Amino acid sequence: MEVAASSTEYVRVTATSKAGGTPISPAAPPQFAFQPSSVTGNPVEGDWLAGEWASPHARILIGPNGGAVTLEPGEYRVWLTWAAGAETPVYRAGTITVY
C-alpha cells in the first residue's frame, strides 16, 4: 500500500479466526503496529495501537486528521495481532510506503 503523508485513510488487513473450522468473532479489537522497515524484531507492548473490526478486515485509521497515528514519509512493516480464544496470533501483514 502507498499513501501520502497528508492523507487520512484506513489500513485494512484481511483477518479471520476459526475454532474447529468455524469462524469466530473475536471479542477484543485488533491491534496494529507500524515499524520502520529498518527495525528488526517483533513490536513491543508500547508499539501496538487499537484498531477495529470491519469483517472480514481488521482496520485502523491513520493520518493527520483523526488517525490513530500519523506516519512520516518512509517504508513501514505493518503488524497485526488479536486475541482469538486461547491464541494471540501475531502477523507481519505487509508493508506501507508513506510519501
Side-chain angles (χ1 to χ4, degrees):
M1 176 177 192
E2 292 186 356
V3 62
S6 59
S7 181
T8 300
E9 58 188 275
Y10 284 102
V11 172
R12 292 175 179 84
V13 176
T14 301
T16 59
S17 292
K18 293 183 180 185
T22 303
I24 60 171
S25 297
Q31 301 286 311
F32 286 82
F34 299 91
Q35 288 185 318
S37 59
S38 61
V39 173
T40 59
N42 291 342
V44 296
E45 187 174 335
D47 293 335
W48 296 103
L49 303 165
E52 63 186 14
W53 293 108
S55 188
H57 300 102
R59 71 180 187 177
I60 189 168
L61 189 65
I62 65 166
N65 296 318
V69 66
T70 299
L71 300 173
E72 296 296 320
E75 185 173 89
Y76 298 85
R77 289 189 180 103
V78 179
W79 291 81
L80 177 67
T81 188
W82 69 94
E87 299 178 326
T88 306
V90 176
Y91 294 106
R92 196 168 61 197
T95 60
I96 183 170
T97 300
V98 179
Y99 57 90

